[in-house]
Amino acid sequence: MELKFSKTITKPDFQGEFTASILAAAASPDVISFAGGLPNPVSFPVKEMEAATQKVLSEQGAVALQYSSTQGYLPLRQWAAKRYEVLGVTDVEADDIIITNGSQQALEMIGRAMIDPGDKVLVENPTYLVALQSFHLYDPQVIPVDINADGIDCDKLQAAIDLNPDAKFIYIIPNFQNPTGLTYSKEVREKAAEILKKSNLLVLEDNPYSELRFSGEGGKSFGYYLGEQCCMFGTFSKIVSPGMRIGWICCRNKELRAKLLSYKSTADLHTNIFCQMVLAQYLADNDLDEHIAKTKELYKQKAEFMMECMRKYLPAGVTFTPTEGGMFLWAELPEGITALDLYRKGLAQGVAICPGDPFYETERNVRTFRVNYSNSTDEAIEKGMQILGEACKELMA
Amino acid sequence: MELKFSKTITKPDFQGEFTASILAAAASPDVISFAGGLPNPVSFPVKEMEAATQKVLSEQGAVALQYSSTQGYLPLRQWAAKRYEVLGVTDVEADDIIITNGSQQALEMIGRAMIDPGDKVLVENPTYLVALQSFHLYDPQVIPVDINADGIDCDKLQAAIDLNPDAKFIYIIPNFQNPTGLTYSKEVREKAAEILKKSNLLVLEDNPYSELRFSGEGGKSFGYYLGEQCCMFGTFSKIVSPGMRIGWICCRNKELRAKLLSYKSTADLHTNIFCQMVLAQYLADNDLDEHIAKTKELYKQKAEFMMECMRKYLPAGVTFTPTEGGMFLWAELPEGITALDLYRKGLAQGVAICPGDPFYETERNVRTFRVNYSNSTDEAIEKGMQILGEACKELMA
């Protein structure tokens, strides 16, 4: 039997092999890895989850194990809707929320609903690797718009819209972006919202990290500025548990929501209701903010310690953008050295970074790289940065 | 903002609205519904699941709540691999298994991996509605091959293959098929396997119901006859819990498996590991066969009672195929009456059936309909069949 695969699945997965090889190398137990992006287990409320599970199974076991609705468990949707108040959006209703298998599934669903081959979509440059992979399943023309320390470059955004008035959507991560850790300033938020409001773009705001702000003050969601023009993705992965695979799409546009629901109904019927109910029970019985505060305290210490080590051990010429939250730092090597050079040299000496390359639609052999601090010991952070510092010096010599 | 959706999502969902309207009507608490397909909660081991959850969270909480691998939890894959022995397939390895969000996700994944627009795929006629919906996402030309009381019509299968040597795959449900409840006889299995072996078709064997055989003797999987030419789907939905959304693909073809894994990694990263671990713990600590025996005992009683009521209350001219397992019965009205006629008349009197129409690729206003017995009380079964009998008589008058 000779299998004849579809064209979609036959073309190389966007940066998939590259990323897989990096993560595989980084997974070796002998390697200090800053390459991945795992939350620290301190963010998993194991004991509380035990109590919640017990309660759900003893009180509603037959519901938790039975088929359920595609849209998701109502109390969980109510919680997600109300939570938007902290982002300044006060008019979200439970009916606007669709529970998904992590917010990652939301990316694929949006690709399905919006992209025909050749359609134009805008993304930040660089942007979240898996968003690029997801969208590329549907063969769009991806138009990257640079971001800098204050957020998306508004002049370039305006220019990209003017040049591509037929683009379908823009995908943005305004808070502690993955990979860069960058956050949009208030000014950039307002300016970008003004520009987007005048455009015909659907705005997809991904937001896995805003709850992890440990310093400074957070900004409003684009859903506040743009209403139903903005579709917001959320997740419990970074604040409660990624293993449960529970995220959501907040879609206030009824027409789009109906299409997303119809697709999810065919794709996998519904997200596991058992975990949805356990999570809702956990949220009802516990103070989530108190729980997140513990995670933030740890991440603040880790981030500050990593920044301290970077200042101490990385040679002048290697720069990085300080962060006030999230899980990542973004650094840049001086001209003449690529992140892949450092990746290879670091790995040979037992430290893994994530080169910036897969986060760019087109640029390759870039000088930027991502380091993750959420899940390393202080010892690993210090030793890892010492080794990276030496590696940089050798490469610069 | 005027949204411009993709073409895929804009075309009408294959039979989606039709089915949604039927299920919505059937969901009214005043209606006796034989239209759906819910397992009886007796098949949910609630207490045992409580113990398993407790154990997983207290012993491996940080693993159960953390990100995990795309392929799925090894002990669960080992269990699924070994379970194929009861279907005569003794050489399945854990590495052949990919855990999915119910076997429903497997359908979408296969569509993605195999179908380009216009590609030919073969299905049983009638076949599982959601399989048709899933495949139609990818715009294939669907070629239905009739099934009868002994299974797929082998002459028609041979003719369909001869006429369409370029078809990509055939999708079959050889055991207690949904919607018909039909099972392939040993002779048909062997004959069909012989025909398929000589073809260039990938064979997709869906098998949610073989574990629910309450009489007679089951046949072997097509994976026994065809080796890696046959990709087998499985699920825990009908024997443990559908709410957990845990199924699998057993794919012994390495090339296809790599493509499915790469796609799932982009689509939703992995199936929720918390439920995978709880399920594996449940399977390790309990006798699943003993548990299934209880479910089968109940379903046997319900099936036999429903068949008794059908013989008693439905007028001569209405026929049905007796079953030895699964969850459904398949009936046929005499010429001149459509299943939709009976559906409407029944619903007006408080009983819902599922008309056969959405299970056919092309035929409409058919005379066949599906009734589900797994989740109704005996009182509901008797009263429902009385009402349906009267409705039939009026329609035939």
Side-chain angles (χ1 to χ4, degrees):
Chain A
M1 176 192 55
E2 187 207 343
L3 286 176
K4 285 159 285 181
F5 298 112
S6 71
K7 288 191 189 75
T8 310
I9 213 82
T10 310
K11 71 180 181 194
D13 182 18
F14 181 84
Q15 294 291 313
E17 280 177 43
F18 179 85
T19 317
S21 74
I22 285 177
L23 292 180
S28 157
D30 303 330
V31 167
I32 293 176
S33 178
F34 305 139
L38 296 189
N40 195 293
V42 79
S43 66
F44 308 154
V46 177
K47 282 228 157 314
E48 294 81 356
M49 215 50 92
E50 239 180 280
T53 310
Q54 205 70 5
K55 208 161 170 181
V56 165
L57 282 174
S58 66
E59 290 174 9
Q60 303 181 77
V63 180
L65 298 179
Q66 185 59 284
Y67 282 114
S68 190
S69 78
T70 299
Q71 188 155 7
Y73 187 53
L74 181 61
L76 197 60
R77 290 190 284 117
Q78 285 168 332
W79 185 92
K82 188 157 170 51
R83 192 73 177 179
Y84 277 105
E85 288 174 9
V86 303
L87 293 164
V89 198
T90 53
D91 59 347
V92 176
E93 289 169 27
D95 201 39
D96 300 326
I97 308 282
I98 302 172
I99 302 292
T100 54
N101 304 334
S103 52
Q104 189 166 331
Q105 188 185 33
L107 294 168
E108 201 275 329
M109 288 166 65
I110 283 284
R112 167 72 69 178
M114 299 300 294
I115 305 173
D116 285 319
D119 278 354
K120 294 171 181 171
V121 305
L122 274 55
V123 300
E124 296 165 339
N125 190 46
T127 188
Y128 179 41
L129 164 65
V130 178
L132 288 176
Q133 289 176 329
S134 259
F135 301 153
H136 272 289
L137 287 172
Y138 294 95
D139 273 331
Q141 180 183 341
V142 175
I143 297 160
V145 180
D146 286 349
I147 48 169
N148 53 48
D150 296 321
I152 198 159
D153 183 316
C154 285
D155 293 337
K156 290 188 175 164
L157 173 62
Q158 184 65 65
I161 292 173
D162 291 344
L163 260 174
N164 306 283
D166 53 343
K168 289 272 185 99
F169 62 71
I170 182 167
Y171 170 75
I172 57 175
I173 314 166
N175 307 298
F176 309 124
Q177 196 226 36
N178 181 357
T180 63
L182 294 175
T183 293
Y184 289 26
S185 70
K186 187 161 183 279
E187 293 64 38
V188 168
R189 259 170 231 263
E190 287 171 358
K191 184 78 192 293
E194 207 181 293
I195 294 169
L196 291 168
K197 201 164 202 162
K198 286 185 203 136
S199 79
N200 207 23
L201 289 170
L202 174 68
V203 177
L204 307 173
E205 179 187 73
D206 204 353
N207 187 30
Y209 304 108
S210 74
E211 300 270 10
L212 297 179
R213 171 174 286 282
F214 44 69
S215 312
E217 209 177 306
K220 290 192 166 62
S221 164
F222 276 79
Y224 164 82
Y225 300 106
L226 300 175
E228 72 167 52
Q229 186 187 357
C230 179
C231 199
M232 301 172 279
F233 303 163
T235 178
F236 289 100
S237 290
K238 309 304 186 295
I239 50 175
V240 182
S241 159
M244 288 183 156
R245 309 306 298 131
I246 299 186
W248 67 85
I249 308 179
C250 173
C251 177
R252 290 179 285 175
N253 181 289
K254 280 186 191 171
E255 209 186 346
L256 175 58
R257 195 166 68 232
K259 294 199 186 303
L260 294 171
L261 273 170
S262 150
Y263 173 49
K264 180 162 170 76
S265 164
T266 297
D268 65 4
L269 196 54
H270 63 79
T271 293
N272 79 99
I273 181 67
F274 179 70
C275 284
Q276 287 187 68
M277 291 175 74
V278 168
L279 199 45
Q281 190 68 55
Y282 164 79
L283 294 167
D285 294 346
N286 295 274
D287 183 342
L288 181 68
D289 293 317
E290 204 176 278
H291 171 69
I292 293 176
K294 277 186 287 182
T295 309
K296 288 198 291 190
E297 196 183 332
L298 180 78
Y299 287 10
K300 179 182 204 294
Q301 181 268 320
K302 298 240 170 262
E304 287 175 353
F305 186 64
M306 187 175 264
M307 289 192 275
E308 190 188 317
C309 291
M310 288 169 87
R311 288 188 193 101
K312 187 165 164 188
Y313 297 114
L314 300 185
V318 183
T319 58
F320 70 91
T321 317
T323 192
E324 297 184 326
M327 291 169 36
F328 302 106
L329 284 161
W330 185 244
E332 187 166 13
L333 295 164
E335 276 191 42
I337 310 174
T338 69
L340 271 169
D341 292 335
L342 181 61
Y343 164 73
R344 289 194 199 100
K345 202 166 188 68
L347 195 63
Q349 289 165 43
V351 185
I353 58 164
C354 189
D357 303 61
F359 302 99
Y360 295 89
E361 171 66 12
T362 51
E363 289 145 81
R364 294 294 170 263
N365 296 309
V366 298
R367 290 183 287 121
T368 45
F369 64 93
R370 185 189 80 176
V371 282
N372 164 256
Y373 51 77
S374 56
N375 202 20
S376 293
T377 62
D378 287 357
E379 294 66 36
I381 290 175
E382 178 147 28
K383 189 173 165 203
M385 282 302 160
Q386 271 177 322
I387 292 172
L388 287 177
E390 289 307 311
C392 287
K393 281 176 208 160
E394 285 174 40
L395 287 166
M396 287 161 74
Chain B
M1 176 192 53
E2 187 208 342
L3 286 175
K4 285 159 285 181
F5 298 113
S6 70
K7 289 190 187 77
T8 310
I9 212 81
T10 309
K11 69 180 182 196
D13 183 18
F14 180 84
Q15 295 290 315
E17 279 177 41
F18 179 85
T19 317
S21 74
I22 285 177
L23 292 179
S28 157
D30 304 330
V31 168
I32 293 175
S33 177
F34 305 140
L38 295 189
N40 195 293
V42 80
S43 67
F44 307 154
V46 177
K47 281 228 159 314
E48 293 82 354
M49 215 50 92
E50 240 180 278
T53 310
Q54 205 70 6
K55 208 160 169 181
V56 164
L57 281 174
S58 65
E59 291 174 8
Q60 300 182 77
V63 179
L65 298 179
Q66 184 60 285
Y67 283 113
S68 189
S69 79
T70 299
Q71 188 156 6
Y73 188 52
L74 181 62
L76 197 61
R77 290 190 284 117
Q78 285 167 333
W79 184 93
K82 187 159 171 50
R83 193 72 178 179
Y84 276 105
E85 288 174 9
V86 304
L87 292 164
V89 197
T90 53
D91 59 346
V92 176
E93 290 170 25
D95 201 40
D96 300 326
I97 309 282
I98 301 172
I99 302 292
T100 55
N101 304 332
S103 52
Q104 188 166 331
Q105 188 186 33
L107 294 168
E108 201 274 330
M109 286 166 65
I110 284 285
R112 167 71 70 178
M114 299 299 295
I115 305 174
D116 284 320
D119 278 353
K120 294 170 180 171
V121 305
L122 275 55
V123 300
E124 295 167 339
N125 190 46
T127 189
Y128 179 42
L129 164 64
V130 179
L132 288 177
Q133 290 176 329
S134 260
F135 300 153
H136 272 289
L137 287 173
Y138 294 95
D139 273 332
Q141 180 183 343
V142 175
I143 297 160
V145 180
D146 286 349
I147 49 168
N148 54 47
D150 297 320
I152 199 157
D153 183 315
C154 285
D155 292 338
K156 290 189 174 164
L157 173 61
Q158 184 65 67
I161 292 173
D162 291 345
L163 259 174
N164 305 284
D166 53 344
K168 289 273 186 100
F169 63 72
I170 182 167
Y171 170 75
I172 57 175
I173 315 166
N175 308 299
F176 310 124
Q177 196 224 37
N178 182 358
T180 64
L182 295 175
T183 292
Y184 289 25
S185 69
K186 186 161 184 278
E187 292 65 37
V188 167
R189 258 171 233 262
E190 287 171 357
K191 184 79 193 293
E194 206 181 294
I195 294 169
L196 291 169
K197 201 164 202 163
K198 287 185 203 135
S199 79
N200 207 23
L201 289 170
L202 175 68
V203 177
L204 306 173
E205 180 187 74
D206 204 353
N207 187 30
Y209 304 109
S210 73
E211 299 269 11
L212 298 179
R213 170 175 287 280
F214 43 68
S215 313
E217 210 177 305
K220 290 192 166 65
S221 163
F222 276 80
Y224 165 82
Y225 300 106
L226 300 176
E228 73 167 52
Q229 186 186 358
C230 178
C231 198
M232 302 173 278
F233 302 163
T235 178
F236 290 99
S237 291
K238 308 306 187 292
I239 49 173
V240 182
S241 158
M244 288 184 158
R245 309 306 297 130
I246 299 187
W248 68 85
I249 308 179
C250 173
C251 177
R252 290 179 284 174
N253 181 289
K254 280 186 192 171
E255 209 186 347
L256 176 57
R257 195 166 69 231
K259 293 198 184 304
L260 294 170
L261 273 170
S262 150
Y263 174 48
K264 180 161 169 75
S265 163
T266 298
D268 65 5
L269 195 56
H270 64 79
T271 293
N272 79 98
I273 181 68
F274 179 70
C275 284
Q276 289 187 67
M277 290 176 75
V278 168
L279 199 46
Q281 190 69 55
Y282 164 79
L283 294 167
D285 293 346
N286 295 275
D287 183 343
L288 181 69
D289 293 317
E290 204 176 277
H291 172 69
I292 294 176
K294 278 187 286 183
T295 308
K296 288 199 290 191
E297 196 183 331
L298 180 79
Y299 286 11
K300 179 182 204 292
Q301 181 269 319
K302 297 241 170 261
E304 286 175 354
F305 186 63
M306 186 175 265
M307 289 192 274
E308 189 188 316
C309 291
M310 287 169 88
R311 288 189 192 100
K312 187 164 165 189
Y313 296 114
L314 300 184
V318 183
T319 58
F320 69 91
T321 317
T323 193
E324 297 184 326
M327 293 169 37
F328 302 106
L329 285 160
W330 186 244
E332 186 165 14
L333 295 163
E335 278 192 36
I337 310 173
T338 69
L340 271 170
D341 292 336
L342 181 62
Y343 165 72
R344 289 192 200 100
K345 202 164 187 71
L347 194 63
Q349 289 164 45
V351 185
I353 58 164
C354 189
D357 302 61
F359 302 99
Y360 294 90
E361 170 66 13
T362 51
E363 290 145 80
R364 295 293 172 266
N365 296 308
V366 299
R367 292 182 285 119
T368 45
F369 64 94
R370 186 189 79 176
V371 282
N372 165 256
Y373 52 76
S374 56
N375 202 19
S376 293
T377 63
D378 287 358
E379 295 66 38
I381 289 174
E382 177 145 32
K383 191 174 165 203
M385 282 301 161
Q386 273 178 321
I387 291 172
L388 287 177
E390 288 307 311
C392 287
K393 281 175 206 158
E394 286 173 39
L395 288 167
M396 287 161 73

